[in-house]
Amino acid sequence: KTIESVPLRLKKPVSVIVEGEVYMPKSQFVRVNKEQKRKGEKEFANARNIVAGTIRQLDSSIVASRGLSTFIYDLSLSGEKIPPTQDAELDYLKSLGFKVNSHHHIAKNIDEVIKFWQKWEKAKDKEDYLIDGVVVKLNDRRAQGILGYTGKAPRWAIAFKFEAEQVTTVVEEITLQIGRTGVLTPVANLRPVKVAGTTVARVTLHNEDEIKRLDVRVGDTVVIQKAGDVIPDVVKVVAELRPKNSKPYKFPTHFPLCGGDGRIERIEGQAAYRCVAKNSFAQQRRKLSHFASKHCFDIDGMGQKIVDQLLETGIISDFADIFKIKYSDLEALPRWQEKSINNLLESIEKARRVTLARFIAGLSIPQVGEETARDLALNFKTAERFSGASEEDLTKIEGVGPIVAEAVVNWFKDKENKKLYDRLLKEVQIEKIKVEAGGKFVGKTFVLTGTLPTLSRDEAGDIVRAHGGKVSTSVSKNTSYVLAGENAGEKLEKAQDLGVKIINESDFIKLLK
């Protein structure tokens, strides 16, 4: 209600779901920063961050004062017939009273697309909003429906970006940061510089091979840009400005946060280095936080700060210790009250029942993410069979290659890992998902969308797989069913366009029976 361009009432009585973007006009950004300066408060670095913070505000008067605006791009659902093309859809949205971007154009071929892009690369600064490229879409909505989506983006649209803004700055130091699997990532600490609206002081150098390719050294002047106007990246070194006494960067042989004697080693066949010791504080805090996260054991109330506190006080040191935490361990700690202690203990107790897929994902085995964990769980079915798998057993699984197989086998070869695995199995109960031979959903592909009344989407997906079916993230003509809950959005509409059968949770349960 506080964003003026969003109509409080449509121009005709129709129920719709629309998708778009909230932005701050450049003129409003200047005005808001003048106001900040007048009040003696810190000025905002860029409009994008203000918008993200503003739409989370609970105080509507603050939102109203920021002068936000919108562009609506897409119609996900309508009580009326949806227009057959993107162009007609924008006209329809405008007729309902929504603000659409007037600078859209139907291109008959790729040359026209490129001309339009070239035109706006020159004209972009004349508009009262930031523009970093144009979006190329298929006009035919039926074709959009057939192509569908990947896990993160439509296959029928692509961002055609303008050349990124580039700036120069100086590398003041190259440091290492440690991940949960012990892999070390080199990071350049920069003399702070503004690029694409934000101040950048750190940028990843990825690995040793990338450092050698760029030949980046401490003291170098470097050109940086933001990939997609988001992630800062070093483009090149300005060699003529290099200090005379500079030396090529060499990976150290030791890193103090690695634990043990701090030794590091390059992983055979890869560009990455890792810690030789496996249980440093820095690694453990990352591993334990990942273990407790939503897609693993889902222990509510056990975020990074709580993990750090429990590690620092010696209450936990590994995964299995989490399930041994007692009330008396927490009551003497600062900021813990009866309610917060009981909430955490209840959440830990609930986490004792876990699927094999989540169990495997929580272990932080190198190369094994959520999807691979699910594939491994469906194939081996029990924790005992998984721990005893050979490289040959593993590589027989679709989606598991030799690198993943080697990583899994090597993880279990480590005696400490195997002891931890066995200790953890004594603390948890792995729910058996029986995969039916010739199950009800063999040969069927489901797409899950929206909020279901009683099942989470993960639970529904596990049920589909248990009955021999597949779960896809995008709707296509090969989709058998779309299981839709509340706020289903665009996937539901695509299913309607393609004539795919749409079911609710009740229908889904009936199919199982």
Side-chain angles (χ1 to χ4, degrees):
K1 287 183 176 180
T2 61
I3 300 176
E4 194 176 336
S5 60
V6 177
L8 295 179
R9 184 179 292 274
L10 300 182
K11 291 182 178 178
K12 53 169 117 171
V14 56
S15 179
V16 293
I17 297 174
V18 302
E19 296 176 356
E21 184 170 30
V22 183
Y23 71 93
M24 174 174 275
K26 291 190 286 191
S27 55
Q28 292 295 333
F29 178 65
V30 171
R31 181 190 63 78
V32 168
N33 266 345
K34 280 182 180 176
E35 184 66 18
Q36 290 289 103
K37 193 173 182 180
R38 187 186 64 78
K39 292 189 291 188
E41 296 178 7
K42 187 179 177 182
E43 292 181 45
F44 295 106
N46 63 78
R48 180 182 285 157
N49 287 4
I50 302 181
V51 174
T54 301
I55 59 176
R56 293 187 182 95
Q57 281 282 346
L58 298 178
D59 186 343
S60 60
S61 66
I62 294 176
V63 187
S65 72
R66 298 275 167 87
L68 303 182
S69 191
T70 60
F71 283 128
I72 303 301
Y73 301 123
D74 197 36
L75 181 67
S76 291
L77 204 64
S78 174
E80 297 183 325
K81 185 174 173 61
I82 294 177
T85 65
Q86 174 73 26
D87 187 52
E89 184 182 355
L90 292 172
D91 289 341
Y92 177 74
L93 288 166
K94 190 175 179 181
S95 74
L96 294 179
F98 291 107
K99 182 180 177 183
V100 303
N101 194 304
S102 60
H103 302 300
H104 56 271
H105 169 74
I106 299 175
K108 297 182 179 65
N109 52 52
I110 293 299
D111 287 340
E112 280 194 30
V113 171
I114 294 169
K115 281 180 184 175
F116 185 81
W117 175 80
Q118 288 170 333
K119 169 190 168 183
W120 279 101
E121 189 167 36
K122 294 174 184 173
K124 66 181 188 294
D125 295 331
K126 294 176 183 176
E127 297 297 319
D128 193 26
Y129 48 89
L130 296 169
I131 305 171
D132 64 356
V134 300
V135 176
V136 185
K137 298 182 181 180
L138 280 180
N139 198 32
D140 187 321
R141 285 179 56 85
R142 184 174 172 277
Q144 292 179 8
I146 291 168
L147 284 175
Y149 291 76
T150 66
K152 295 182 178 178
R155 293 191 180 95
W156 45 266
I158 190 165
F160 195 172
K161 296 284 189 178
F162 300 135
E163 188 173 345
E165 177 191 348
Q166 296 185 341
V167 298
T168 58
T169 187
V170 175
V171 177
E172 296 183 332
E173 187 182 16
I174 296 176
T175 58
L176 298 175
Q177 64 182 25
I178 187 169
R180 61 185 171 86
T181 60
V183 171
L184 299 163
T185 303
V187 174
N189 294 323
L190 308 171
R191 187 174 296 163
V193 62
K194 270 201 166 185
V195 56
T198 58
T199 300
V200 173
R202 285 164 58 84
V203 58
T204 178
L205 295 173
H206 303 291
N207 53 50
E208 184 180 38
D209 290 357
E210 180 70 358
I211 291 176
K212 285 180 177 176
R213 185 186 72 80
L214 291 165
D215 188 23
V216 61
R217 309 177 185 186
V218 174
D220 274 347
T221 297
V222 292
V223 176
I224 67 166
Q225 67 180 33
K226 282 191 175 181
D229 273 358
V230 178
I231 302 165
D233 194 30
V234 175
V235 179
K236 64 178 181 179
V237 172
V238 184
E240 53 268 33
L241 297 179
R242 171 171 285 163
K244 289 180 181 178
N245 59 348
S246 75
K247 295 178 181 177
Y249 177 80
K250 286 186 178 180
F251 256 78
T253 56
H254 294 70
F255 184 59
L257 293 181
C258 276
D261 62 4
R263 282 186 302 126
I264 69 174
E265 62 185 0
R266 180 156 172 163
I267 303 171
E268 190 177 343
Q270 296 184 42
Y273 278 81
R274 68 183 170 200
C275 301
V276 173
K278 302 294 189 290
N279 294 308
S280 70
F281 181 87
Q283 288 179 76
Q284 284 300 91
R285 68 188 292 270
R286 290 284 190 92
K287 285 181 183 178
L288 287 161
S289 181
H290 173 74
F291 181 88
S293 66
K294 182 179 178 182
H295 295 292
C296 296
F297 277 70
D298 194 16
I299 303 176
D300 191 34
M302 197 166 181
Q304 190 68 73
K305 287 183 180 178
I306 300 301
V307 167
D308 288 352
Q309 186 183 34
L310 297 175
L311 269 173
E312 286 163 357
T313 52
I315 292 171
I316 62 172
S317 62
D318 59 37
F319 307 143
D321 289 342
I322 292 172
F323 298 98
K324 299 181 187 298
I325 297 173
K326 302 182 186 69
Y327 189 98
S328 56
D329 294 328
L330 302 174
E331 63 181 342
L333 297 180
R335 298 187 300 278
W336 284 90
Q337 304 296 328
E338 182 180 357
K339 185 177 180 181
S340 57
I341 294 172
N342 286 331
N343 285 346
L344 179 61
L345 293 178
E346 284 173 21
S347 189
I348 290 170
E349 200 59 34
K350 185 180 174 184
R352 287 184 188 274
R353 290 180 60 86
V354 66
T355 64
L356 182 57
R358 286 173 176 265
F359 178 87
I360 294 170
L363 298 173
S364 284
I365 299 173
Q367 309 294 335
V368 177
E370 287 174 50
E371 289 299 322
T372 303
R374 190 173 284 131
D375 292 339
L376 293 168
L378 284 171
N379 184 80
F380 293 109
K381 299 180 179 62
T382 69
E384 291 73 24
R385 285 185 61 197
F386 171 59
S387 63
S390 66
E391 284 191 39
E392 186 182 356
D393 296 331
L394 289 156
T395 51
K396 287 177 183 176
I397 303 168
E398 186 180 349
V400 176
I403 292 174
V404 175
E406 184 182 11
V408 171
V409 170
N410 285 343
W411 193 87
F412 281 108
K413 278 181 181 176
D414 186 302
K415 290 180 182 178
E416 293 305 313
N417 286 341
K418 190 65 174 68
K419 284 180 188 175
L420 175 59
Y421 191 82
D422 293 338
R423 283 179 58 220
L424 187 56
L425 283 176
K426 291 176 183 175
E427 298 294 339
V428 303
Q429 181 182 348
I430 294 179
E431 298 172 345
K432 290 183 179 178
I433 298 179
K434 186 181 176 184
V435 180
E436 295 185 7
K440 294 179 176 67
F441 297 151
V442 169
K444 304 291 184 186
T445 300
F446 285 71
V447 172
L448 316 176
T449 182
T451 305
L452 301 172
T454 63
L455 294 169
S456 71
R457 291 214 294 266
D458 282 346
E459 288 169 336
D462 286 340
I463 291 169
V464 169
R465 295 182 188 94
H467 289 271
K470 291 183 178 180
V471 177
S472 175
T473 56
S474 61
V475 180
S476 73
K477 61 182 179 181
N478 297 320
T479 304
S480 309
Y481 298 99
V482 169
L483 172 55
E486 284 187 24
N487 303 316
E490 197 167 77
K491 290 179 184 178
L492 179 62
E493 188 217 315
K494 300 299 180 193
Q496 291 167 335
D497 286 351
L498 293 171
V500 172
K501 188 168 179 63
I502 298 163
I503 59 173
N504 57 26
E505 188 180 293
S506 177
D507 299 324
F508 180 64
I509 302 302
K510 286 176 185 174
L511 285 176
L512 287 170
K513 291 178 180 177

